Amino acid sequence: MIKVLYLLNHAGKAGTERYVQTLIEKLHNNKIKAYFAYNEDGLLVERLKELGIETYRIEMRNPFDIKAVFNLVKLCKKLDIDLIHTQFLRENYIAMLSRIINPKVRVMYTNHFIMRNNLPIRIANRIITPLESNIIAVCNRGRDMMISNGINPKKIKVIFNGVDVKYWSEPVESTVREEFQIDDDVFVMLCASRFAHDKGHKFLINALYELKKMTNRKFKCILSNDGPLLEECKKQVEDMGLSDVVIFAGFRKDIKNLIYGCDLYINSSEHEALSFLIIEVLACGVPLIATDMGGNRDIINKETNCGILVQYNDHKGLAEAIIKVMEDGELRKTLSKNALKTVREKFNLDKVAEETYNLYEESLNKN
């Protein structure tokens, strides 16, 4: 059984943490023995402890933290680790540098962002990447960006994010309308992204302002989560006179309950690779509108016909897309049917876990 140490700087509650947790849930005590090391504490540590995973803290101040390198080597020797699976540049560089001291341990990296590196990092990529066994890109645009950042394309394999289709496709009796006192004739939208700059909440709120002017149909938009821009967004909603149609639901653990309680999900992100939330929403059979960025085109396209893509910051365009879905019941049925089919075929967690495990084995067999 392969011993895998999952290494992550911040163990919070975003998509990357969900990626790590789902892989561990699927592979631990089945094909691998999983361990977890982190720098900044968060919800993921709590969740993994509940799963019985051994967790360790390693301070990682920067990508070239030599003290962290030695502490990682020490931990890997103590646990007899075969492979380190990293998620971001900081811990990935630390893990690769640890191989200079402890070459027995292989390093594999999953890239969750589509971001242009500066010149020093691009140069460092060319120097350090040979220490990497394999690299996963979660979308095709991510792969293209890594190549432009100086990564050897032969090391990169695209493995889309995946979800547990059985769990998400089993309906629940949602309590959303009862909880927020929403009448049956009201069209309900949901966005559950964290309130951060790259998630586009201000763009979405501006689109809701346009929507309110364009339709007489009653609607509500539930914004669920927390984050640094929450208070700014609350003020924006109040200043634009949208308090009657926007509901701030806070951070929720019952995301499945929220999804099944809405008629349409909206992803308004400016930057993202391949959103777990989008895939979960589709697995629930809920119609989706998303911005045409990152890996969203890998999910929503003419072949899948499971949602509508809009341009980021086109407020009127998003409002028009919402009206299109809101007023066309047959379209909603088509999108719903194709949504579940798409996830089963392309974004199934079983498929993701199997392909990732195969890369673990391949990494261990490389010189």
Side-chain angles (χ1 to χ4, degrees), residues 141 191 193-207 229 233 236 266-272 289-294 296-297 308-319 321:
R141 284 183 177 176
C191 176
S193 298
R194 187 169 180 268
F195 286 85
H197 285 283
D198 57 336
K199 300 303 182 183
H201 285 91
K202 292 183 178 181
F203 157 47
L204 172 55
I205 293 167
N206 285 331
L229 291 187
C233 289
Q236 181 186 0
I266 301 175
N267 173 283
S268 55
S269 293
E270 180 181 8
H271 299 294
E272 206 160 32
I289 295 175
T291 48
D292 186 8
M293 41 63 61
N296 287 352
R297 199 179 292 177
I308 297 174
L309 290 178
V310 297
Q311 294 303 308
Y312 176 77
N313 240 4
D314 180 0
H315 313 144
K316 187 176 180 182
L318 175 53

Side-chain angles (χ1 to χ4, degrees), residues 216-254:
N216 292 321
R217 176 79 185 269
K218 291 190 287 184
F219 68 87
K220 297 281 187 182
C221 184
I222 299 172
L223 302 181
S224 170
N225 217 313
D226 53 21
L229 291 187
L230 175 59
E231 294 307 316
E232 283 186 40
C233 289
K234 285 183 176 179
K235 186 176 187 305
Q236 181 186 0
V237 165
E238 184 177 350
D239 290 346
M240 298 184 82
L242 297 173
S243 299
D244 59 328
V245 295
V246 176
I247 298 169
F248 289 93
F251 175 71
R252 305 278 293 242
K253 293 185 177 181
D254 62 335

Side-chain angles (χ1 to χ4, degrees), residues 29 31 36 46 91 101 223 261 300:
N29 285 339
K31 293 188 173 183
F36 181 68
E46 175 187 327
E91 60 264 30
I101 306 169
L223 302 181
I300 303 169

